[in-house]
Structure formats: C-alpha cells, structure tokens
Amino acid sequence: MGKLENKEDKTKKMKKTKKTAAKTVKVVKKAKTKTEKPAVVNENVFSQRLHKHYDELKWLYCELYQDDKQPLVHFDELMKKIKEFYIARPNYLKALDIEREQQPDWYKGNKLLGMMMYVNCFSGTLKNFEKRLPYIQESNVNYLHLMPLLSSPKGKSDGGYAVADFRSVQEDLGTMKDLENLAEKCHENGISVCLDFVMNHTSDEHEWARKARSGDKEYQDRYFFFDDYSMPELFERDCPQVFPTTAPGNFTYLSDINKFVMTTFYPYQWDLDYRNPVVFNEMVYNMLFLVNQGIDIIRLDAVPYIWKQLGTNCRNLPQVHTIVRMMRMISEIVSPAVLLLGEVVMAPDKVVPYFGTPEKPECHMLYNVTTMATTWHTVATRDTALIKHQMDILSSLPKQYIFQNYLRCHDDIGWGLDYDFLRQFGIDEVAHKKYLNDFFTGKVPGSFGIGELYNDDERLKDARLCGTTASLCGIEYYDKLKDKDGIERSIQLDLMLHAFMLSQSGIPVIYSGDEIGQYNDYSYKEDEDADKRADSRYVHRGVFNWRKAGRRKIKTAIQAKIYQNLAKMEKIRSSYDVFKADADMYTLPTWEKSTLAVVRETAQERFIGLYNFSENEQMAWINETDGLYTELLTDTKDFKAAGIKMAPYSCLWLWRKK
Ligand code: GLC
C-alpha cells in the first residue's frame, strides 16, 4: 500500500523544489561572475537537449516543407528563436525541467487529480483564483485545466477558442502577469496548470487575420484563401462538418473582399495553413511563450484538424503527426517539464497513434473519449457488454499510454461508440443514437436525465448531448419533483460513475461543479450573444455556485453527499499503488448484464471494482478464491469476493494485499 501524502510531506517537497530552484539561480549567478564560463551550465543543458533531437527535427522539418523555397532559412530561424525562449525561461521553471527530466514518469502514478474550469465561472478573475486555491486543495486537486483565457472577441469567442492574441489575457479576467503569478502560486502549492493551445485557427480579429483581410498577401498565405468557390466546393465533397447546425460548412465568404476563407469551426475561426513554415514557427513561439508563463500542460486543441489536403477528410493526416512530433521535440528541448495533452475526439483507432511510438513519442496524454461516451451509453442501456469490451481493449494497450479520464467536460458528448461491436446485438447506429439522446432528454419512459441536444442535424441524425453529470444522472429531475428516494438513487448513480472513472488507469479530471453536484444552467438561452444562445454547451458551463458549495459541509445536503464521498474515493485512489497507471487491468465476467467487474493488479495488491449500472438490486456472480478482501469505501474487512448482491447503482472497491 502506498502512503497518504500528508501536508507535511507536501510542504517538505515544496521546500525542496524551492531549494532546487534557488540552487539553479545560484549556479547561474555564479557563472555570470566567472569570466571563463559565463552561463555555460545553461548552454550545456540546452545544447545537450538540442543535440538529442536535432537530426530528427531537421529531417522532419525539411521533409514537411520541401516545397518551400527556403526551408533551411526557416529552420535556422526556428532554432535561433527556441534558444531565446530557453534563455528567457524563468529559473524556477528551469529547475522544474531538470527535476521532471530526472523523473519522466512524474505524472503517471496515482497522485494527480485534475479539475477543469472557466476562470470567470469559478473565481471571476485570475487574481481571485488565488483566494480559491484552498478550496482546490481541499478538493484534493493538484492539476488545474483553466479553460481558454486568452484574448478573444466578445460575441465571437466560441468559449475562448477563437484567440485574437496568444500573448494577452481576456481583459475581464486580468493580465498575463496575473496568469504568471497564479501559475507560480500553483507551483508553490504542488499544483500543475494546463492551458489550451488553440492551434488550428485564430480569431478573425487576430492581427494576422486583420492584415489578411486588408489584402496583405503574406498574411493571406497564413490561412486558406480562395478567390471563388471552386476549391471550397471540392474540399466540401470529402470534408465532414464539425458544427453542422450552429456553423454549417467549412468555408466562409468574406463579402468585403470577395474571397472565401476556410473555417472548419465557427465562421470567425479562420483555419491556419500549416503548409506555410512561418505559421508553424510563429505558433511554436506562441506555445513557448505560454509555457514560459508557467504552464505545465499544453492542451493541443482540435489537433487532428491542423493539416488540410484536398480529396481527404482533412483529419488525422500524416503531416499532423509530423507537426505534433516536432512540437514534442521542441518542448523537450526548451521546457521538458511540460506535457502535451492531445485533444483527439476521434474513433479509438485514430486516437492511439497520437501517442507516437516509444522512440518517437508525440503526446504525453490523450482524452479517454471512448470510455467516457461508453460509460453514458451503459447508464442508458443498463448493459455492461460494451463497456466491458472497451475496458478489455484499454487493458491490452501499452502501459505508457496515459489517458485523461473524465465523465464530463466543457464540450458535448458525441456518441462515438463501437458500433461494429453493438451490431452483433442487433443495435443500429442511427436508432441507438436517437435512443441515447431520448433517454438523456427524458423522452424514454422512466428516464431521469435532463440533457439538451447539441447540433441536432435532422439530415445527419447525429445529435450530441449536453448537461452536467448531476443533471444527466437525474438529481436535478428528482429534486424538482421533491422525490427523496429518486434523489438518493441519482446521487448513488453519480457517485458510482465517479468511482468507476477514478479507478481507471490514467489521470482523472473532474469537471468543476460536478464535485458538488451542480445542475444545468439555462441562463444562456437569454444571453445577449446570439452565438451563445444557439450553443447548448453553455447549459453545462454555468457559474460555480459558491453558496451551494458551502453546503458540502452539511452532512444531509446533496452537495455534501457527493463532495464528501468523492473526497473519500480520491484519497483512497492516491493511497494505494494498485491505482497507478502501470497496474495490470482486466475484467471478470459477472454473469449479470448490469454489473461490471474490473480488476487492477500489481505484484503486491489486487483490487476488484464492482459497479452496478442498474436502478435495481443486481448480483455480481464473481467467485474469487484468492482470499478475503477489504471493501475500501465502507472499510469492511474480511469481505468474500463471491456472489455479491449489489444495491441499485452501487459500487464496491475490494482490495487485498497478496
Ligand atoms: C475543441 C474545443 C471546443 C471548441 C473547438 C474549436 O474541440 O474543445 O470547445 O469549440 O475545439 O476550437
């Protein structure tokens, strides 16, 4: 069994980090005074890292930009600039680089717990966020994903995913200095910070876009500009749409200059053309600027879309992997403390390649999107066949693949399930998607979900779903009915889903508000911004309710029932080595379709997670004869892991030392 990390340990660790940082500063200072070796210590570190990757980086760069007139000129400029970013990197981050380089698996254990939030919803401003850090720590969270906070035009922001300036923060939230200070404060408290790097497009108000619009050819070449619709028409033949109802089509006509520009997402999000090496270089500088503010994890937003080619679906093309691999190498050279998190919301076979290979890694982490969607499918069907199959697939993947596990995030749930598998049970994709959406929008008799549809395109029959965990689990529904049993049952479901998520291999990330069972927020429907009114994802992007959060300490309150139980699970997860990502994992048959049994195993420990996805009592017909277990959630000793009767929506965490 691992040890609970207490506050003292953490403080010691913090002091240690500070000491290391101080040491580095000293070395640098000393070096400056010694005429014979000024800053040589630094240079060595940089050149060693550069040396490791130089040949491959140059090769990939020249191959990708072979059609450019002067690829080497751009490459040399890139090399010069990345060194400048290395030099400018604050000493405390350089110290962290070295620390994490020495412990490259620092993020792979069972100690990281994430939470994602919008700063405006959570604390109003970046400065106020600091005051909320005690809450973050009380919630056992040590990894924060701050939703997009860079400059983005009001009314045309796509929740901050239309960036007008990668080097400044949205005015309402504060300044870049505030972000830097917050990141430093987080580091002092052992918290890592993740920020989106929206690299597929810029806002149409970005300086480049404005120059392009004013006719500057150099800047038009950073986007996809066309004089007439003939090329866009050809692209549209093979390129599916991301927002078929809220922003149909992949191109936007700019009437003022009589040109078409490629816009895969909203019309005001202009796709960058990475065939232009200047675009790659400049975007790399933007990324390095952000990591030098103290960002630990860079979320590569919409990364599968960054390379476009006529005659393809413009997703996951080989060049995307070249670019991600180059970014990984550059990050390892300049800021090895930093992790790349790929946002690859694609079919499973398209996701895994973004890890790259052990010799040539790309992303450090990827979203476990299929498991997330499959979990909700299991809630609606009470049938664990598909989730069991999914867990079996995951357990066969190499252990170094680190997934980010989650139940909800700021986006919709797309029903990207394994329909080939479901087909053997006679399940048809279109009809099933409709069933799932009906279930979670309360249209199926007996269902309790209050969700909203997203991009419900009648033609494609591919609507997606929005809503908070608590609302999809029925807590909001039964609360409105004042149905106490219903509320309790839904809380159980909410907790069971979190328990399942927390016991998966990888890094769990809680969606802010879910820890107190926050409901949907319908106020977006009256927003002055028309784009927002049309975008049902805002139903789960409500302002964090601090008043309700206060109720997490009142034992009988819904908030406390969720918060306290989650906290217990989180502490257990970080205390037992069996939750580390490199534990073996496999499923057991339970001979009852609503129950699921997932084993985690190390040389010393064995864990069986049991989950009942049904609102009725069910049996889990396992029969483990290796000895008695402890049920960790209730601390029940001498538990026999055989023929277990499970209460509605219950879960058990059985554990034993071998
Ligand atoms: C990502 C974001 C999503 C955004 C899109 C366009 O998928 O998660 O919220 O709309 O990128 O930037």
Side-chain angles (χ1 to χ4, degrees):
M1 177 185 152
K3 271 192 200 132
L4 263 182
E5 190 177 60
N6 57 29
K7 259 205 176 140
E8 228 171 85
D9 288 340
K10 268 193 193 148
T11 332
K12 267 189 213 155
K13 246 192 219 163
M14 253 167 58
K15 281 191 184 148
K16 215 171 123 198
T17 319
K18 274 193 182 162
K19 253 194 217 156
T20 339
K23 226 191 270 163
T24 319
V25 179
K26 243 195 225 157
V27 174
V28 178
K29 276 190 186 153
K30 228 197 236 161
K32 272 192 187 158
T33 56
K34 280 196 177 177
T35 39
E36 70 274 29
K37 273 186 182 176
V40 166
V41 182
N42 273 349
E43 287 234 355
N44 269 347
V45 172
F46 181 80
S47 29
Q48 274 164 17
R49 289 181 191 147
L50 180 65
H51 180 73
K52 182 173 167 208
H53 293 303
Y54 187 81
D55 287 347
E56 189 192 346
L57 194 52
K58 190 170 179 182
W59 172 272
L60 288 181
Y61 194 95
C62 291
E63 188 187 44
L64 190 67
Y65 295 121
Q66 56 186 294
D67 294 336
D68 191 88
K69 279 190 217 113
Q70 302 175 301
L72 279 176
V73 171
H74 296 294
F75 182 75
D76 290 343
E77 202 240 28
L78 179 69
M79 292 302 102
K80 193 173 129 243
K81 272 279 171 48
I82 66 170
K83 185 164 180 186
E84 285 170 21
F85 278 101
Y86 169 75
I87 292 167
R89 191 157 166 80
N91 280 324
Y92 94 94
L93 293 175
K94 281 186 180 152
L96 194 64
D97 287 334
I98 292 170
E99 199 181 302
R100 289 181 178 170
E101 254 182 335
Q102 284 162 358
Q103 269 186 353
D105 287 349
W106 67 273
Y107 59 99
K108 294 185 177 172
N110 51 342
K111 300 288 188 237
L112 275 192
L113 176 69
M115 185 175 272
M116 55 186 296
M117 67 267 286
Y118 287 92
V119 173
N120 60 332
C121 293
F122 185 71
S123 60
T125 64
L126 285 165
K127 270 206 178 112
N128 277 341
F129 204 111
E130 285 189 24
K131 296 188 202 129
R132 298 300 189 184
L133 285 181
Y135 175 80
I136 296 295
Q137 290 184 305
E138 183 196 327
S139 307
N140 305 309
V141 167
N142 53 10
Y143 157 19
L144 291 175
H145 175 188
L146 304 178
M147 298 306 293
L149 44 74
L150 300 178
S151 293
S152 182
K154 283 211 170 102
K156 296 197 298 180
S157 81
D158 183 21
Y161 284 97
V163 179
D165 181 0
F166 290 91
R167 312 250 174 141
S168 76
V169 163
Q170 285 163 30
E171 261 177 27
D172 299 352
L173 303 179
T175 62
M176 196 45 88
K177 188 78 202 147
D178 295 342
L179 177 64
E180 203 188 338
N181 290 344
L182 176 62
E184 199 168 345
K185 193 102 209 156
C186 285
H187 283 120
E188 279 170 26
N189 288 285
I191 299 170
S192 299
V193 182
C194 169
L195 207 66
D196 279 89
F197 183 54
V198 187
M199 61 182 298
N200 177 67
H201 44 260
T202 73
S203 151
D204 64 356
E205 292 194 17
H206 187 280
E207 189 196 345
W208 299 352
R210 280 206 248 116
K211 287 187 173 156
R213 198 163 204 154
S214 71
D216 192 329
K217 176 87 174 63
E218 187 192 330
Y219 289 90
Q220 287 183 354
D221 286 348
R222 296 187 185 190
Y223 300 95
F224 294 87
F225 267 79
F226 301 100
D227 292 333
D228 56 50
Y229 194 64
S230 50
M231 282 294 277
E233 190 180 13
L234 291 176
F235 267 105
E236 291 286 11
R237 284 187 193 166
D238 305 289
C239 197
Q241 303 185 21
V242 185
F243 296 151
T245 56
T246 48
N250 289 295
F251 293 86
T252 298
Y253 177 61
L254 307 173
S255 56
D256 49 338
I257 55 168
N258 190 25
K259 281 190 193 292
F260 290 85
V261 66
M262 188 176 230
T263 53
T264 303
F265 295 87
Y266 277 105
Y268 50 78
Q269 289 168 311
W270 292 8
D271 288 65
L272 287 168
D273 186 353
Y274 280 87
R275 290 173 310 170
N276 180 346
V278 176
V279 168
F280 175 77
N281 286 10
E282 292 291 332
M283 290 305 280
V284 163
Y285 309 152
N286 284 331
M287 178 181 83
L288 295 178
F289 172 84
L290 293 173
V291 303
N292 276 0
Q293 310 306 306
I295 303 306
D296 300 274
I297 297 140
I298 287 285
R299 176 185 182 271
L300 299 176
D301 178 63
V303 65
Y305 301 85
I306 60 174
W307 194 273
K308 279 86 176 173
Q309 201 166 294
L310 197 62
T312 73
N313 66 358
C314 298
R315 278 128 171 88
N316 309 302
L317 297 176
Q319 292 86 345
V320 175
H321 291 279
T322 301
I323 290 177
V324 179
R325 173 71 192 137
M326 291 199 293
M327 290 172 80
R328 169 75 179 248
M329 286 190 279
I330 291 168
S331 161
E332 282 186 13
I333 294 166
V334 179
S335 52
V338 170
L339 303 178
L340 299 182
L341 162 66
E343 192 228 356
V344 184
V345 180
M346 295 278 153
D349 61 322
K350 298 288 183 300
V351 174
V352 165
Y354 284 84
F355 282 118
T357 63
E359 298 76 31
K360 296 182 178 179
E362 295 176 25
C363 294
H364 297 82
M365 304 190 289
L366 296 170
Y367 285 87
N368 201 345
V369 56
T370 309
T371 303
M372 181 278 294
T374 307
T375 303
W376 290 107
H377 148 96
T378 313
V379 172
T381 58
R382 290 88 157 172
D383 186 336
T384 59
L386 183 62
I387 192 76
K388 183 174 181 301
H389 174 66
Q390 170 65 10
M391 297 317 277
D392 289 337
I393 292 176
L394 283 177
S395 61
S396 68
L397 295 177
K399 299 262 176 58
Q400 71 267 21
Y401 289 4
I402 300 297
F403 282 102
Q404 190 158 299
N405 300 307
Y406 63 117
L407 288 175
R408 292 296 298 112
C409 71
H410 67 296
D411 278 332
D412 48 289
I413 304 172
W415 298 116
L417 307 173
D418 186 342
Y419 291 100
D420 286 339
F421 180 83
L422 288 175
R423 219 163 283 129
Q424 58 178 315
F425 305 100
I427 293 177
D428 161 72
E429 179 169 343
V430 170
H432 189 58
K433 282 181 177 165
K434 182 172 176 343
Y435 169 75
L436 295 170
N437 284 327
D438 283 352
F439 182 87
F440 286 110
T441 51
K443 293 195 191 88
V444 171
S447 71
F448 42 70
I450 306 191
E452 292 196 347
L453 295 188
Y454 180 65
N455 271 286
D456 181 14
D457 185 327
E458 199 23 57
R459 201 172 33 95
L460 299 171
K461 302 207 181 312
D462 198 21
R464 287 116 74 173
L465 184 81
C466 297
T468 69
T469 302
S471 294
L472 295 181
C473 284
I475 310 180
E476 181 182 350
Y477 174 79
Y478 289 116
D479 195 6
K480 273 196 189 128
L481 294 178
K482 306 245 173 301
D483 176 340
K484 281 196 177 154
D485 290 346
I487 295 175
E488 287 308 316
R489 222 175 23 248
S490 298
I491 292 176
Q492 279 312 311
L493 171 58
D494 185 307
L495 288 172
M496 185 273 287
L497 296 182
H498 275 102
F500 175 50
M501 190 267 283
L502 285 163
S503 63
Q504 287 160 26
S505 292
I507 301 166
V509 177
I510 311 261
Y511 188 53
S512 169
D514 275 0
E515 79 280 15
I516 54 158
Q518 192 151 310
Y519 300 159
N520 289 342
D521 175 5
Y522 303 98
S523 63
Y524 78 96
K525 294 179 197 227
E526 271 100 53
D527 202 276
E528 53 186 22
D529 169 357
D531 272 345
K532 208 165 164 182
R533 283 200 302 277
D535 192 334
S536 52
R537 290 177 299 177
Y538 284 93
V539 82
H540 53 246
R541 295 177 181 175
V543 171
F544 186 75
N545 192 327
W546 285 101
R547 188 186 56 78
K548 286 206 169 160
R551 293 170 60 81
R552 71 188 181 279
K553 292 178 179 158
I554 303 171
K555 247 184 153 183
T556 50
I558 293 174
Q559 292 75 19
K561 287 179 185 169
I562 297 176
Y563 189 91
Q564 302 299 348
N565 282 306
L566 271 188
K568 187 193 271 177
M569 294 172 193
E570 291 156 1
K571 287 202 176 109
I572 293 173
R573 176 183 176 273
S574 63
S575 318
Y576 291 84
D577 285 348
V578 79
F579 290 100
K580 286 187 175 166
D582 61 359
D584 286 332
M585 186 187 86
Y586 52 93
T587 59
L588 295 175
T590 61
W591 307 104
E592 158 51 56
K593 71 175 185 157
S594 300
T595 58
L596 174 73
V598 186
V599 175
R600 305 186 60 82
E601 198 160 354
T602 63
Q604 288 84 29
E605 300 173 43
R606 189 158 193 259
F607 167 91
I608 312 171
L610 289 168
Y611 309 93
N612 179 7
F613 280 82
S614 147
E615 65 273 50
N616 300 314
E617 194 177 272
Q618 300 290 356
M619 291 300 292
W621 292 110
I622 57 168
N623 188 19
E624 300 304 287
T625 51
D626 52 339
L628 294 172
Y629 284 73
T630 298
E631 202 291 310
L632 297 173
L633 299 168
T634 51
D635 199 19
T636 310
K637 303 259 174 336
D638 300 335
F639 203 104
K640 240 178 124 184
I644 297 169
K645 194 187 271 179
M646 298 191 71
Y649 294 136
S650 64
C651 65
L652 289 103
W653 276 4
L654 304 181
W655 175 90
R656 74 182 296 267
K657 207 171 174 74
K658 284 186 172 172

